[in-house]
Amino acid sequence: MRVPDDKTVVFTFASHPTATLALRWTARVTFPAGSDGSAVFPIEIIDGEDKPVNGFFDFAGQHLAVKDGHAEISAADFLRGKSEVPLWLNRDGMPPIPGGLTFA
């Protein structure tokens, strides 16, 4: 995997709609320009009130810890799990909320 040297690529994922804004979430996975198979990609996750979240993000077959709205995934883990469908945000005291890729 190699990201073009002149482009940063960002995938945006969003929760399924919920009536409560605090339960909603948006995750942005950034693939920096020029990164390759040895890279670690940052993930930023906020809730529907634009506040950073804490919990676990099930993404690309991984159960990633999220602290203060930040997580990361290695290129190798992303490539290995890129076809894995489950995409959930799990937070203490809240139900797990699924999501999917969005075009925002």
Side-chain angles (χ1 to χ4, degrees):
M1 173 181 184
R2 178 127 174 94
V3 179
D5 290 333
D6 61 341
K7 280 195 193 260
T8 293
V9 176
V10 178
F11 286 178
T12 302
F13 300 89
S15 65
H16 293 181
T18 64
T20 306
L21 285 177
L23 291 176
R24 296 180 192 184
W25 56 264
T26 301
R28 288 182 180 81
V29 183
T30 301
F31 302 85
S35 54
D36 60 17
S38 66
V40 174
F41 305 126
I43 303 171
E44 185 177 343
I45 306 174
I46 57 172
D47 68 14
E49 297 174 334
D50 294 328
K51 296 176 185 169
V53 303
N54 292 301
F56 289 91
F57 189 48
D58 294 331
F59 172 68
Q62 301 294 309
H63 191 66
L64 305 170
V66 182
K67 183 165 176 29
D68 299 326
H70 297 283
E72 58 184 30
I73 189 167
S74 71
D77 285 342
F78 174 76
L79 287 173
R80 218 177 359 265
K82 68 180 184 206
S83 297
E84 295 288 326
V85 175
L87 183 67
W88 292 81
L89 181 63
N90 303 280
R91 294 171 278 182
D92 284 343
M94 296 182 175
I97 304 293
L101 182 63
T102 187
F103 298 94

Coordinates of all heavy atoms in Angstrom, one line a residue:
M1 N 0.8 -1.2 0.0 CA 0.0 0.0 0.0 C 0.9 1.2 0.0 O 1.8 1.3 0.8 CB -0.9 0.0 1.2 CG -1.7 1.2 1.4 SD -2.7 1.2 2.9 CE -3.5 2.7 2.7
R2 N 0.6 2.2 -0.9 CA 1.3 3.4 -0.9 C 0.4 4.5 -1.3 O -0.4 4.5 -2.2 CB 2.4 3.3 -2.0 CG 3.2 4.6 -2.1 CD 4.7 4.3 -2.0 NE 5.4 5.5 -2.3 CZ 5.9 6.3 -1.3 NH1 5.6 6.1 -0.1 NH2 6.6 7.4 -1.7
V3 N 0.4 5.6 -0.4 CA -0.5 6.8 -0.7 C 0.3 7.7 -1.6 O 1.6 7.8 -1.4 CB -0.8 7.5 0.7 CG1 -1.6 8.7 0.4 CG2 -1.5 6.5 1.6
P4 N -0.3 8.3 -2.6 CA 0.4 9.2 -3.5 C 1.2 10.3 -2.7 O 0.7 10.7 -1.7 CB -0.7 9.8 -4.3 CG -1.8 8.9 -4.3 CD -1.7 8.2 -2.9
D5 N 2.4 10.6 -3.2 CA 3.2 11.6 -2.5 C 2.6 13.0 -2.4 O 3.0 13.7 -1.5 CB 4.6 11.7 -3.2 CG 5.4 10.5 -3.1 OD1 5.3 9.8 -2.0 OD2 6.3 10.2 -3.9
D6 N 1.7 13.3 -3.3 CA 1.1 14.6 -3.3 C -0.3 14.7 -2.8 O -1.0 15.7 -2.9 CB 1.2 15.2 -4.7 CG 0.3 14.3 -5.7 OD1 0.0 13.2 -5.4 OD2 0.0 14.9 -6.8
K7 N -0.8 13.6 -2.2 CA -2.2 13.6 -1.7 C -2.3 13.0 -0.3 O -1.9 11.9 -0.1 CB -3.1 12.9 -2.7 CG -3.5 13.7 -3.8 CD -4.7 13.0 -4.5 CE -4.9 13.5 -5.8 NZ -5.6 14.3 -6.4
T8 N -3.0 13.6 0.6 CA -3.5 13.0 1.8 C -4.9 12.5 1.6 O -5.7 13.2 1.0 CB -3.4 14.0 3.0 OG1 -2.1 14.4 3.2 CG2 -4.0 13.5 4.2
V9 N -5.1 11.3 2.0 CA -6.4 10.7 1.8 C -7.1 10.5 3.2 O -6.5 10.1 4.1 CB -6.3 9.3 1.1 CG1 -7.7 8.6 1.0 CG2 -5.6 9.4 -0.2
V10 N -8.4 10.9 3.2 CA -9.1 10.8 4.5 C -10.4 10.1 4.2 O -11.2 10.4 3.3 CB -9.5 12.2 5.1 CG1 -10.3 12.1 6.3 CG2 -8.2 13.0 5.3
F11 N -10.6 9.0 5.0 CA -11.9 8.3 5.0 C -12.7 8.8 6.1 O -12.2 8.9 7.3 CB -11.7 6.8 5.1 CG -11.1 6.0 3.9 CD1 -10.8 4.7 4.0 CD2 -10.8 6.7 2.7 CE1 -10.3 4.0 2.9 CE2 -10.3 6.0 1.7 CZ -10.1 4.7 1.7
T12 N -14.0 9.0 5.9 CA -14.9 9.5 6.9 C -16.0 8.4 7.2 O -16.6 8.0 6.2 CB -15.5 10.8 6.6 OG1 -14.5 11.8 6.4 CG2 -16.4 11.3 7.7
F13 N -16.1 8.1 8.4 CA -17.1 7.1 8.8 C -18.1 7.8 9.8 O -17.7 8.6 10.5 CB -16.5 5.9 9.5 CG -15.5 5.2 8.6 CD1 -14.2 5.5 8.6 CD2 -15.9 4.1 7.8 CE1 -13.3 4.9 7.8 CE2 -15.0 3.4 7.0 CZ -13.7 3.8 7.0
A14 N -19.4 7.4 9.7 CA -20.3 8.0 10.6 C -21.3 7.0 11.2 O -21.5 6.0 10.5 CB -21.1 9.1 9.9
S15 N -21.7 7.3 12.4 CA -22.7 6.4 13.0 C -24.0 6.3 12.3 O -24.3 7.3 11.6 CB -22.9 6.8 14.5 OG -23.5 8.1 14.5
H16 N -24.7 5.3 12.5 CA -26.1 5.3 12.1 C -26.9 6.3 12.9 O -26.5 6.6 14.0 CB -26.7 3.9 12.3 CG -26.1 2.8 11.5 ND1 -26.5 1.5 11.5 CD2 -25.1 2.8 10.6 CE1 -25.8 0.8 10.6 NE2 -24.9 1.6 10.1
P17 N -27.9 6.9 12.3 CA -28.6 8.0 13.0 C -29.1 7.6 14.4 O -29.6 6.4 14.5 CB -29.7 8.4 12.1 CG -29.3 7.8 10.8 CD -28.5 6.6 11.0
T18 N -29.0 8.4 15.3 CA -29.7 8.2 16.6 C -30.4 9.5 17.0 O -30.0 10.6 16.6 CB -28.6 7.9 17.7 OG1 -27.8 9.0 17.9 CG2 -27.8 6.7 17.4
A19 N -31.4 9.4 17.9 CA -32.1 10.6 18.3 C -31.3 11.5 19.2 O -31.5 12.7 19.3 CB -33.4 10.2 19.0
T20 N -30.3 10.9 19.9 CA -29.5 11.6 20.9 C -28.2 11.9 20.2 O -27.4 11.1 19.8 CB -29.3 10.7 22.1 OG1 -30.5 10.3 22.6 CG2 -28.5 11.5 23.2
L21 N -27.9 13.2 20.1 CA -26.6 13.7 19.5 C -25.4 13.1 20.2 O -24.4 12.7 19.5 CB -26.5 15.2 19.5 CG -27.3 16.0 18.5 CD1 -27.2 17.5 18.7 CD2 -27.0 15.6 17.1
A22 N -25.4 12.9 21.5 CA -24.2 12.4 22.2 C -23.9 11.0 21.8 O -22.7 10.6 21.9 CB -24.4 12.5 23.7
L23 N -24.9 10.2 21.3 CA -24.6 8.9 20.9 C -24.0 8.8 19.5 O -23.4 7.8 19.2 CB -25.9 8.1 20.9 CG -26.5 7.8 22.3 CD1 -27.9 7.0 22.2 CD2 -25.6 7.0 23.2
R24 N -24.3 9.8 18.7 CA -23.7 9.8 17.3 C -22.2 9.9 17.4 O -21.6 10.4 18.3 CB -24.3 10.9 16.5 CG -25.8 10.8 16.3 CD -26.3 12.0 15.5 NE -27.8 12.0 15.6 CZ -28.5 12.8 14.9 NH1 -28.0 13.8 14.1 NH2 -29.8 12.8 15.0
W25 N -21.6 9.5 16.3 CA -20.1 9.7 16.2 C -19.7 9.9 14.7 O -20.4 9.4 13.8 CB -19.4 8.6 16.8 CG -19.7 7.2 16.3 CD1 -20.6 6.3 16.9 CD2 -19.2 6.5 15.2 NE1 -20.7 5.2 16.2 CE2 -19.8 5.2 15.1 CE3 -18.2 6.8 14.2 CZ2 -19.5 4.3 14.1 CZ3 -18.0 5.9 13.2 CH2 -18.6 4.7 13.2
T26 N -18.5 10.5 14.5 CA -17.9 10.6 13.2 C -16.4 10.2 13.5 O -15.8 10.7 14.4 CB -18.0 12.0 12.7 OG1 -19.4 12.4 12.5 CG2 -17.3 12.1 11.3
A27 N -15.9 9.4 12.6 CA -14.5 9.0 12.7 C -13.8 9.3 11.3 O -14.3 9.1 10.3 CB -14.4 7.5 12.9
R28 N -12.6 9.9 11.5 CA -11.8 10.3 10.3 C -10.5 9.6 10.4 O -9.7 9.8 11.3 CB -11.6 11.8 10.2 CG -12.9 12.5 9.8 CD -12.7 14.0 9.7 NE -13.9 14.7 9.3 CZ -14.9 15.0 10.2 NH1 -14.7 14.7 11.5 NH2 -16.0 15.5 9.8
V29 N -10.2 8.7 9.4 CA -9.0 8.0 9.3 C -8.1 8.7 8.2 O -8.6 8.8 7.1 CB -9.2 6.5 8.9 CG1 -7.9 5.8 8.8 CG2 -10.2 5.8 9.8
T30 N -6.9 9.1 8.6 CA -6.1 9.9 7.7 C -4.9 9.1 7.2 O -4.2 8.4 8.0 CB -5.5 11.2 8.4 OG1 -6.7 12.0 8.8 CG2 -4.7 12.0 7.5
F31 N -4.8 9.0 5.9 CA -3.7 8.4 5.2 C -2.7 9.5 4.7 O -3.0 10.0 3.6 CB -4.2 7.5 4.1 CG -5.1 6.4 4.6 CD1 -6.5 6.7 4.7 CD2 -4.7 5.1 4.9 CE1 -7.4 5.8 5.1 CE2 -5.6 4.2 5.3 CZ -7.0 4.5 5.4
P32 N -1.7 9.8 5.4 CA -0.8 10.9 5.0 C -0.2 10.7 3.7 O 0.2 9.6 3.3 CB 0.2 11.0 6.2 CG -0.4 10.4 7.3 CD -1.3 9.3 6.7
A33 N 0.1 11.8 3.0 CA 0.7 11.7 1.7 C 2.1 11.0 1.8 O 2.8 11.2 2.8 CB 1.0 13.2 1.1
G34 N 2.3 10.1 0.9 CA 3.6 9.4 0.8 C 3.7 8.2 1.8 O 4.8 7.6 1.8
S35 N 2.7 8.0 2.6 CA 2.8 6.9 3.6 C 2.8 5.5 2.8 O 2.2 5.4 1.8 CB 1.8 7.0 4.7 OG 0.5 7.0 4.1
D36 N 3.4 4.5 3.5 CA 3.5 3.2 2.9 C 3.1 2.1 3.9 O 2.5 2.5 4.9 CB 4.9 3.0 2.3 CG 6.0 3.1 3.4 OD1 5.6 3.0 4.6 OD2 7.2 3.2 3.1
G37 N 3.5 0.9 3.6 CA 3.1 -0.2 4.4 C 3.6 -0.2 5.8 O 3.2 -1.0 6.7
S38 N 4.6 0.7 6.1 CA 5.1 0.7 7.5 C 4.4 1.9 8.3 O 4.8 2.0 9.5 CB 6.6 1.0 7.4 OG 6.9 2.3 6.9
A39 N 3.5 2.6 7.7 CA 2.9 3.7 8.4 C 1.9 3.3 9.5 O 1.4 2.2 9.5 CB 2.2 4.6 7.3
V40 N 1.6 4.3 10.3 CA 0.6 4.2 11.3 C -0.4 5.3 11.0 O 0.0 6.5 10.9 CB 1.1 4.3 12.8 CG1 0.0 4.3 13.8 CG2 2.0 3.1 13.1
F41 N -1.7 5.0 10.8 CA -2.7 6.0 10.4 C -3.4 6.5 11.6 O -4.0 5.7 12.4 CB -3.6 5.4 9.4 CG -2.9 4.8 8.2 CD1 -3.2 3.5 7.8 CD2 -2.0 5.6 7.5 CE1 -2.6 3.0 6.7 CE2 -1.4 5.0 6.4 CZ -1.6 3.7 6.0
P42 N -3.5 7.9 11.8 CA -4.3 8.4 12.9 C -5.8 8.4 12.6 O -6.2 8.5 11.5 CB -3.8 9.9 13.0 CG -3.3 10.2 11.6 CD -2.8 8.9 11.1
I43 N -6.5 8.2 13.7 CA -8.0 8.2 13.7 C -8.5 9.2 14.7 O -8.1 9.1 15.8 CB -8.6 6.8 14.0 CG1 -8.0 5.7 13.0 CG2 -10.1 6.8 13.9 CD1 -8.3 4.3 13.4
E44 N -9.4 10.1 14.2 CA -10.0 11.1 15.1 C -11.4 10.8 15.2 O -12.1 10.7 14.2 CB -9.7 12.5 14.6 CG -10.2 13.6 15.4 CD -9.8 14.9 14.9 OE1 -9.0 15.0 14.0 OE2 -10.4 15.9 15.3
I45 N -12.0 10.7 16.4 CA -13.4 10.4 16.6 C -14.0 11.4 17.5 O -13.6 11.6 18.6 CB -13.6 8.9 17.2 CG1 -12.8 7.9 16.3 CG2 -15.1 8.6 17.3 CD1 -12.8 6.5 16.8
I46 N -15.1 12.0 17.0 CA -15.9 12.9 17.9 C -17.4 12.4 17.9 O -17.8 11.7 17.0 CB -15.8 14.4 17.3 CG1 -16.3 14.4 15.8 CG2 -14.4 14.9 17.4 CD1 -16.5 15.8 15.3
D47 N -18.1 12.9 18.9 CA -19.5 12.6 19.0 C -20.3 13.6 18.2 O -19.8 14.5 17.6 CB -19.9 12.4 20.5 CG -20.0 13.7 21.3 OD1 -19.9 14.8 20.7 OD2 -20.1 13.6 22.5
G48 N -21.6 13.4 18.3 CA -22.5 14.3 17.6 C -22.6 15.7 18.1 O -23.2 16.6 17.5
E49 N -22.0 16.0 19.3 CA -21.9 17.3 19.9 C -20.4 17.9 19.7 O -20.1 18.8 20.3 CB -22.2 17.2 21.3 CG -23.6 16.8 21.6 CD -24.0 16.6 23.0 OE1 -23.1 16.3 23.9 OE2 -25.2 16.7 23.4
D50 N -19.7 17.3 18.7 CA -18.3 17.7 18.4 C -17.3 17.5 19.6 O -16.3 18.3 19.7 CB -18.3 19.1 17.9 CG -19.0 19.2 16.5 OD1 -18.9 18.3 15.8 OD2 -19.5 20.3 16.3
K51 N -17.6 16.6 20.5 CA -16.7 16.4 21.6 C -15.9 15.1 21.4 O -16.5 14.1 20.8 CB -17.5 16.2 22.9 CG -18.3 17.4 23.3 CD -19.1 17.2 24.6 CE -19.9 18.4 24.9 NZ -20.9 18.1 25.9
P52 N -14.6 15.1 21.7 CA -13.8 13.9 21.6 C -14.4 12.7 22.5 O -14.9 13.0 23.5 CB -12.4 14.3 22.0 CG -12.5 15.6 22.7 CD -13.9 16.2 22.3
V53 N -14.3 11.5 22.0 CA -14.8 10.4 22.7 C -13.7 9.5 23.3 O -12.5 9.6 22.9 CB -15.7 9.5 21.8 CG1 -16.8 10.3 21.2 CG2 -14.9 8.8 20.7
N54 N -14.1 8.7 24.2 CA -13.2 7.6 24.8 C -14.0 6.3 24.7 O -15.2 6.3 24.8 CB -13.0 7.9 26.3 CG -12.1 9.1 26.5 OD1 -11.0 9.2 26.0 ND2 -12.6 10.1 27.2
G55 N -13.3 5.2 24.4 CA -13.9 3.9 24.3 C -13.1 3.0 23.4 O -11.9 3.1 23.4
F56 N -13.8 2.2 22.7 CA -13.2 1.3 21.7 C -13.9 1.4 20.4 O -15.1 1.5 20.3 CB -13.2 -0.1 22.3 CG -12.3 -0.3 23.4 CD1 -12.7 -0.1 24.7 CD2 -11.0 -0.7 23.2 CE1 -11.9 -0.3 25.8 CE2 -10.1 -0.8 24.3 CZ -10.6 -0.6 25.6
F57 N -13.1 1.4 19.3 CA -13.6 1.5 18.0 C -13.3 0.2 17.2 O -12.1 -0.2 17.1 CB -12.9 2.7 17.3 CG -13.4 3.1 15.9 CD1 -14.8 3.2 15.7 CD2 -12.6 3.3 14.8 CE1 -15.3 3.6 14.5 CE2 -13.0 3.6 13.6 CZ -14.4 3.8 13.4
D58 N -14.3 -0.5 16.9 CA -14.1 -1.7 16.1 C -14.1 -1.4 14.6 O -15.1 -1.0 14.0 CB -15.3 -2.7 16.4 CG -15.3 -3.2 17.8 OD1 -14.2 -3.3 18.4 OD2 -16.4 -3.5 18.3
F59 N -12.9 -1.5 14.1 CA -12.6 -1.1 12.7 C -11.6 -2.0 12.1 O -10.5 -2.3 12.7 CB -12.1 0.4 12.8 CG -11.6 1.0 11.5 CD1 -12.5 1.2 10.4 CD2 -10.3 1.2 11.3 CE1 -12.0 1.7 9.2 CE2 -9.8 1.7 10.1 CZ -10.7 2.0 9.0
A60 N -11.8 -2.4 10.8 CA -10.9 -3.2 10.1 C -10.4 -4.4 10.8 O -9.2 -4.8 10.8 CB -9.7 -2.4 9.6
G61 N -11.4 -5.0 11.5 CA -11.1 -6.3 12.3 C -10.3 -6.0 13.5 O -9.8 -7.0 14.2
Q62 N -10.1 -4.8 14.0 CA -9.4 -4.5 15.2 C -10.3 -3.9 16.2 O -11.3 -3.3 15.9 CB -8.3 -3.5 14.9 CG -7.3 -3.9 13.8 CD -6.4 -5.1 14.3 OE1 -5.9 -5.1 15.4 NE2 -6.4 -6.2 13.5
H63 N -9.9 -4.0 17.5 CA -10.7 -3.4 18.6 C -9.7 -2.3 19.2 O -8.8 -2.6 20.0 CB -11.0 -4.5 19.6 CG -11.9 -4.1 20.7 ND1 -13.3 -3.8 20.5 CD2 -11.7 -3.9 22.0 CE1 -13.8 -3.5 21.6 NE2 -12.9 -3.6 22.6
L64 N -9.8 -1.1 18.6 CA -8.9 0.0 18.9 C -9.3 0.8 20.1 O -10.4 1.3 20.1 CB -8.7 0.8 17.7 CG -8.4 0.1 16.3 CD1 -8.6 1.1 15.2 CD2 -7.0 -0.4 16.4
A65 N -8.4 1.1 21.0 CA -8.6 2.0 22.1 C -8.7 3.4 21.6 O -7.8 3.8 20.8 CB -7.5 1.8 23.2
V66 N -9.7 4.1 22.1 CA -9.8 5.6 21.8 C -9.7 6.4 23.0 O -10.4 6.1 24.0 CB -11.2 5.8 21.1 CG1 -11.3 7.3 20.7 CG2 -11.5 4.9 19.9
K67 N -8.8 7.3 23.1 CA -8.6 8.2 24.2 C -8.6 9.6 23.8 O -7.8 10.0 22.9 CB -7.3 7.8 24.9 CG -7.1 8.7 26.2 CD -6.0 8.1 27.0 CE -5.6 8.8 28.3 NZ -6.6 9.6 28.9
D68 N -9.4 10.4 24.4 CA -9.6 11.8 24.0 C -9.8 12.0 22.5 O -9.2 12.9 21.9 CB -8.4 12.6 24.5 CG -8.2 12.6 26.0 OD1 -9.3 12.5 26.7 OD2 -7.1 12.6 26.5
G69 N -10.5 11.1 21.9 CA -10.9 11.2 20.5 C -9.8 10.8 19.5 O -9.9 10.9 18.3
H70 N -8.7 10.1 20.1 CA -7.6 9.7 19.2 C -7.4 8.2 19.3 O -7.4 7.6 20.4 CB -6.4 10.4 19.6 CG -6.5 11.9 19.3 ND1 -6.4 12.4 18.1 CD2 -6.6 12.9 20.2 CE1 -6.5 13.8 18.2 NE2 -6.7 14.1 19.5
A71 N -7.2 7.6 18.1 CA -6.8 6.2 18.0 C -5.9 6.1 16.8 O -5.6 7.1 16.2 CB -8.0 5.3 17.8
E72 N -5.3 4.9 16.6 CA -4.5 4.7 15.4 C -4.5 3.3 15.0 O -4.9 2.4 15.8 CB -3.0 5.2 15.7 CG -2.4 4.5 16.8 CD -1.0 5.0 17.1 OE1 -0.7 6.2 16.9 OE2 -0.1 4.2 17.6
I73 N -4.2 3.0 13.7 CA -4.1 1.7 13.2 C -2.9 1.6 12.3 O -2.7 2.6 11.5 CB -5.4 1.3 12.5 CG1 -5.4 -0.2 12.1 CG2 -5.7 2.2 11.3 CD1 -6.8 -0.7 11.6
S74 N -2.2 0.5 12.3 CA -1.0 0.3 11.5 C -1.5 0.0 10.1 O -2.6 -0.5 9.9 CB -0.1 -0.8 12.0 OG -0.8 -2.0 11.8
A75 N -0.7 0.3 9.1 CA -1.1 0.0 7.7 C -1.3 -1.5 7.5 O -2.2 -1.9 6.8 CB 0.0 0.5 6.8
A76 N -0.4 -2.3 8.2 CA -0.6 -3.8 8.1 C -1.9 -4.2 8.6 O -2.6 -5.1 8.0 CB 0.6 -4.4 8.8
D77 N -2.3 -3.7 9.8 CA -3.6 -4.1 10.4 C -4.8 -3.6 9.5 O -5.7 -4.3 9.3 CB -3.8 -3.6 11.8 CG -2.9 -4.3 12.8 OD1 -2.5 -5.4 12.5 OD2 -2.7 -3.8 13.9
F78 N -4.6 -2.4 8.9 CA -5.7 -1.9 8.1 C -5.8 -2.8 6.8 O -6.9 -3.2 6.5 CB -5.4 -0.5 7.7 CG -6.4 0.0 6.6 CD1 -7.7 0.4 7.0 CD2 -6.0 0.1 5.3 CE1 -8.6 0.8 6.1 CE2 -7.0 0.6 4.4 CZ -8.2 0.9 4.7
L79 N -4.7 -3.1 6.2 CA -4.8 -4.0 5.0 C -5.3 -5.3 5.3 O -6.1 -5.9 4.5 CB -3.4 -4.1 4.4 CG -2.9 -2.8 3.7 CD1 -1.5 -2.9 3.2 CD2 -3.8 -2.5 2.5
R80 N -4.9 -5.9 6.4 CA -5.4 -7.2 6.8 C -6.9 -7.3 7.0 O -7.6 -8.2 6.7 CB -4.6 -7.7 8.1 CG -4.3 -9.1 8.1 CD -3.5 -9.6 9.3 NE -3.1 -8.7 10.3 CZ -1.9 -8.0 10.4 NH1 -1.0 -8.2 9.4 NH2 -1.6 -7.2 11.4
G81 N -7.4 -6.2 7.6 CA -8.8 -6.2 8.0 C -9.7 -5.3 7.1 O -10.9 -5.1 7.5
K82 N -9.2 -4.8 6.0 CA -10.0 -3.8 5.2 C -11.3 -4.4 4.7 O -12.2 -3.6 4.4 CB -9.2 -3.3 4.1 CG -8.9 -4.3 3.0 CD -8.1 -3.8 1.9 CE -7.9 -4.8 0.8 NZ -6.8 -4.8 0.0
S83 N -11.5 -5.7 4.6 CA -12.8 -6.2 4.2 C -13.7 -6.6 5.3 O -14.8 -7.1 5.1 CB -12.5 -7.5 3.3 OG -11.8 -7.1 2.1
E84 N -13.2 -6.4 6.5 CA -14.1 -6.7 7.7 C -15.2 -5.7 7.8 O -14.9 -4.5 7.7 CB -13.2 -6.7 9.0 CG -12.2 -7.8 9.0 CD -12.8 -9.2 9.3 OE1 -13.8 -9.3 10.0 OE2 -12.2 -10.1 8.7
V85 N -16.4 -6.1 7.9 CA -17.6 -5.2 7.9 C -17.9 -4.6 9.2 O -18.3 -3.4 9.3 CB -18.8 -6.0 7.4 CG1 -20.1 -5.2 7.4 CG2 -18.6 -6.5 6.0
P86 N -17.8 -5.3 10.4 CA -18.2 -4.6 11.6 C -17.5 -3.3 11.9 O -16.3 -3.2 11.8 CB -17.8 -5.7 12.7 CG -17.8 -7.0 12.0 CD -17.3 -6.6 10.6
L87 N -18.3 -2.3 12.2 CA -17.8 -1.0 12.5 C -18.7 -0.4 13.6 O -19.8 0.0 13.4 CB -17.9 -0.1 11.2 CG -17.4 1.3 11.3 CD1 -15.9 1.3 11.4 CD2 -17.8 2.1 10.1
W88 N -18.1 -0.4 14.8 CA -18.8 0.0 16.0 C -18.0 0.9 16.9 O -16.8 0.8 16.9 CB -19.2 -1.2 16.8 CG -20.1 -2.2 16.2 CD1 -19.9 -3.1 15.3 CD2 -21.5 -2.3 16.5 NE1 -21.0 -3.8 15.0 CE2 -22.0 -3.3 15.7 CE3 -22.4 -1.6 17.3 CZ2 -23.4 -3.7 15.7 CZ3 -23.7 -1.9 17.3 CH2 -24.2 -3.0 16.5
L89 N -18.7 1.8 17.6 CA -18.0 2.6 18.6 C -18.7 2.1 19.9 O -19.9 2.1 20.1 CB -18.2 4.1 18.4 CG -17.6 4.9 19.5 CD1 -16.0 4.8 19.5 CD2 -17.9 6.4 19.3
N90 N -17.8 1.7 20.9 CA -18.2 1.3 22.2 C -17.7 2.2 23.2 O -16.5 2.5 23.3 CB -17.6 -0.1 22.5 CG -18.0 -1.1 21.4 OD1 -19.1 -1.7 21.4 ND2 -17.1 -1.3 20.4
R91 N -18.6 2.8 24.1 CA -18.3 3.7 25.1 C -18.9 3.3 26.4 O -20.1 2.8 26.4 CB -18.8 5.1 24.8 CG -18.0 5.7 23.6 CD -18.6 7.0 23.1 NE -19.8 6.7 22.3 CZ -20.5 7.6 21.7 NH1 -20.3 8.9 21.8 NH2 -21.6 7.2 20.9
D92 N -18.3 3.5 27.5 CA -18.8 3.1 28.9 C -20.1 3.9 29.1 O -20.2 5.1 28.8 CB -17.8 3.5 30.0 CG -16.7 2.6 30.1 OD1 -16.7 1.4 29.5 OD2 -15.6 2.9 30.7
G93 N -21.1 3.1 29.6 CA -22.4 3.7 29.9 C -23.3 4.0 28.8 O -24.3 4.6 28.9
M94 N -22.9 3.6 27.6 CA -23.7 3.9 26.4 C -23.8 2.6 25.6 O -22.9 1.8 25.6 CB -23.0 5.0 25.5 CG -22.9 6.3 26.1 SD -22.2 7.5 24.9 CE -22.3 9.0 25.8
P95 N -24.9 2.5 24.8 CA -25.0 1.3 23.9 C -24.0 1.4 22.8 O -23.6 2.5 22.4 CB -26.4 1.4 23.4 CG -26.8 2.8 23.5 CD -26.0 3.4 24.7
P96 N -23.5 0.3 22.3 CA -22.6 0.3 21.2 C -23.4 0.8 20.0 O -24.5 0.5 19.8 CB -22.1 -1.1 20.9 CG -22.8 -2.0 22.0 CD -23.7 -1.1 22.8
I97 N -22.7 1.7 19.2 CA -23.4 2.3 18.0 C -22.7 1.9 16.7 O -21.5 2.2 16.6 CB -23.5 3.8 18.2 CG1 -24.1 4.3 19.5 CG2 -24.1 4.5 17.0 CD1 -25.6 3.9 19.6
P98 N -23.4 1.3 15.8 CA -22.7 0.9 14.5 C -22.6 2.1 13.6 O -23.3 3.2 13.8 CB -23.6 -0.1 13.9 CG -25.0 0.3 14.4 CD -24.8 0.9 15.8
G99 N -21.8 2.0 12.5 CA -21.7 3.0 11.6 C -21.2 2.5 10.2 O -21.1 1.3 10.0
G100 N -20.9 3.4 9.3 CA -20.4 3.0 8.0 C -19.7 4.1 7.3 O -19.7 5.3 7.8
L101 N -19.1 3.8 6.2 CA -18.4 4.8 5.4 C -19.4 5.8 4.8 O -20.5 5.5 4.4 CB -17.7 4.1 4.2 CG -16.9 5.0 3.3 CD1 -15.7 5.6 4.0 CD2 -16.4 4.1 2.1
T102 N -19.0 7.1 4.9 CA -19.9 8.1 4.4 C -19.1 9.0 3.4 O -17.8 9.0 3.4 CB -20.4 9.0 5.5 OG1 -21.4 9.9 5.0 CG2 -19.4 9.7 6.3
F103 N -19.7 9.8 2.6 CA -19.1 10.7 1.7 C -19.5 12.1 2.2 O -20.5 12.6 1.8 CB -19.5 10.4 0.3 CG -19.1 9.0 -0.2 CD1 -20.0 8.0 0.0 CD2 -17.8 8.8 -0.6 CE1 -19.6 6.7 -0.4 CE2 -17.4 7.6 -1.0 CZ -18.3 6.5 -0.9
A104 N -18.7 12.7 3.1 CA -19.0 14.0 3.6 C -18.0 15.0 3.1 O -17.0 14.8 2.6 CB -18.8 13.9 5.1

